[in-house]
Amino acid sequence: MDGTKGLTTISTRLERIAALARQFPGSPLTTLSHHIDIEWLREAYRRTRKDGAPGIDGQSAKEYAADLEGNLQRLLERAKAGVYRAPPVRRTYIPKGTGERRPLGIPTFEDKVLQRAVAMVLETVYEQEFLDCSYGFRPGRSAHQALEAIQKTATRTAGGWAIEIDIRKYFDTIDHRQLQEVLRQRVRDGVIVRLIGKWLHAGVMEDGALRQSDAGTPQGGVISPLLANIYLHTVLDTWFERDVRPRMRGSTQLVRYADDAVVLFANEEDARRVMAVLPKRFAQYGLTLHSDKTRLVAFERPDRPSRNGGDGPANPGSLDFLGFTIHWRESPGGRWNVKLRTAKDRFRRTLTRLSAWCKAHRHAPLRDQQQALNQRLRGHYGYFDWPGNRERLWTLLRRVERAWWRWLSRRSQRARLSSEAMRRLLARYPLERPKRLRPA
């Protein structure tokens, strides 16, 4: 089939699913899996990354593509007949740059394709349900939009009080039974419900041993972020909108990105009441708030009388959200604005990781080192490019230049690299500088 025609057909069917979800809001949908056919799987295959490591079967994307049509047809038949067996994910570890290792789950390539196919259906249904306060892992939404929402709300209301919400090991502790109950409130298609159950119970293969659990989303799974979003949509978003907001005396705004959330309040009493009930609400769904990282913060604009009694600027707290510290700063003209800068822990982790890279690759050709470091710096700048954060970006660049100098100086025991020699080296192999920042 012509690729353009195929994409048009898929787009039409996605719109039909969306229309069905809008037509029956809040009602269980029972006829969805018939949309998943061979053409749907081709599109799921197209959307699946091809450069990932293989799962427990050792099969790469290139090997799977050698008989793509046959493989997709057999996958479709097994999924529809209910005989598809979700393979365990392969457990591996990657360094965190702090000496620790982060566990990573790697599904098989075929499993990724099928998860993508089901995720395409579920995402279309739940995009009609999700609220505006949710920004994580959603089409057309981003972390920067979540940050802008907080910045604009705090500026408009002159701040007030805020709750930072941090869920302890969220993706590892989602209760399977309760997640399936939440899903069945909206989706009761037998094929889709059965496949999700199989993925939840597939387990992890590590050192030849299979480990299974009654909690957590599929590690490394394409569908995991969506399932996690669906769960918190019920646990937090709809509860806050339906039960909490109507009971507040002042204005309030929830902003959530995946499992990170901030709630802004105009009224201190409102904030304290919600802070008291949050742990109980999450506990009902088997989740625990991190006691050290979930906190109530006074965040009113410093020149507000209610914060300082009219005796001069106060010292309001700051918020940490998505790698940024959100704080009040006075402009040269005397106006108070909400600004964002790279959070200290994120800055420290980035610098530690780049320094460790310089150490591990100090014997590589200088041109290769320069290109690799610039790629990493561009990635950092791309995310932390924010008005008011220029100083932090330049500080990182200077620290990375010093770390590079330090480890290049240790390539040889006989001759250390002088500061003048390093200046000449940086002139020949310059590191990426921060570009013009995003407009305010």
Side-chain angles (χ1 to χ4, degrees), residues 172-190:
D172 296 331
T173 57
I174 296 176
D175 183 86
H176 289 171
R177 180 185 59 80
Q178 295 204 67
L179 171 59
Q180 289 173 298
E181 288 179 1
V182 166
L183 284 165
R184 279 193 288 268
Q185 293 171 13
R186 197 67 175 105
V187 175
R188 291 187 188 170
D189 181 282

Side-chain angles (χ1 to χ4, degrees), residues 75-139:
L75 175 61
L76 179 64
E77 292 169 358
R78 282 179 286 145
K80 291 297 183 73
V83 297
Y84 179 77
R85 297 185 64 183
V89 300
R90 179 170 67 86
R91 169 68 62 80
T92 187
Y93 294 87
I94 58 174
K96 296 176 65 173
T98 58
E100 301 177 349
R101 297 189 305 163
R102 181 166 66 90
L104 185 68
I106 304 176
T108 65
F109 181 78
E110 181 175 70
D111 202 51
K112 291 179 185 178
V113 173
L114 187 56
Q115 287 192 34
R116 176 66 67 190
V118 173
M120 287 163 59
V121 176
L122 288 181
E123 180 180 81
T124 307
V125 171
Y126 279 95
E127 274 301 311
Q128 319 313 312
E129 306 280 323
F130 288 153
L131 304 180
D132 286 342
C133 63
S134 169
Y135 292 86
F137 303 110
R138 293 182 59 189

Side-chain angles (χ1 to χ4, degrees), residues 125-335:
V125 171
Y126 279 95
E127 274 301 311
Q128 319 313 312
E129 306 280 323
F130 288 153
L131 304 180
D132 286 342
C133 63
S134 169
Y135 292 86
F137 303 110
R138 293 182 59 189
R141 295 192 154 225
S142 68
H144 281 178
Q145 290 175 337
L147 290 160
E148 286 172 353
I150 293 176
Q151 188 178 43
K152 290 178 179 178
T153 298
T155 301
R156 184 180 67 252
T157 62
W161 290 76
I163 297 176
E164 292 181 2
I165 298 176
D166 189 281
I167 309 170
R168 187 186 295 273
K169 297 182 178 179
Y170 173 61
F171 288 88
D172 296 331
T173 57
I174 296 176
D175 183 86
H176 289 171
R177 180 185 59 80
Q178 295 204 67
L179 171 59
Q180 289 173 298
E181 288 179 1
V182 166
L183 284 165
R184 279 193 288 268
Q185 293 171 13
R186 197 67 175 105
V187 175
R188 291 187 188 170
D189 181 282
V191 172
I192 291 178
V193 169
R194 185 166 55 242
L195 284 172
I196 292 174
K198 290 182 178 182
W199 285 320
L200 291 176
H201 296 94
V204 174
M205 185 70 72
E206 183 176 8
D207 298 329
L210 177 62
R211 295 178 174 85
Q212 293 178 311
S213 172
D214 293 328
T217 55
Q219 287 199 6
V222 171
I223 204 168
S224 291
L226 177 56
L227 294 179
N229 249 355
I230 291 170
Y231 201 52
L232 275 184
H233 171 69
T234 295
V235 175
L236 180 59
D237 302 356
T238 57
W239 168 74
F240 188 86
E241 190 65 32
R242 182 189 64 233
D243 298 334
V244 175
R245 188 190 295 277
R247 293 176 169 83
M248 298 292 97
R249 294 174 56 190
S251 64
T252 181
Q253 177 68 49
L254 166 66
V255 177
R256 180 175 67 81
Y257 187 93
D259 59 329
D260 289 317
V262 167
V263 192
L264 297 172
F265 300 88
N267 182 277
E268 179 182 355
E269 182 182 349
D270 289 343
R272 294 193 180 279
R273 287 168 58 201
V274 173
M275 185 69 176
V277 300
L278 272 177
K280 302 173 187 176
R281 173 65 183 179
F282 280 83
Q284 290 175 8
Y285 289 84
L287 301 173
T288 304
L289 295 182
H290 200 295
S291 59
D292 296 331
K293 298 179 181 179
T294 298
R295 62 192 187 110
L296 180 64
V297 181
F299 194 66
E300 192 166 35
R301 199 173 68 201
D303 61 342
R304 288 292 295 270
S306 58
R307 274 283 291 153
N308 55 45
D311 297 327
N315 295 307
S318 60
L319 309 174
D320 283 339
F321 188 56
L322 301 180
F324 283 91
T325 294
I326 305 171
H327 62 105
W328 288 99
R329 190 171 72 185
E330 189 175 13
S331 71
R335 294 184 59 183

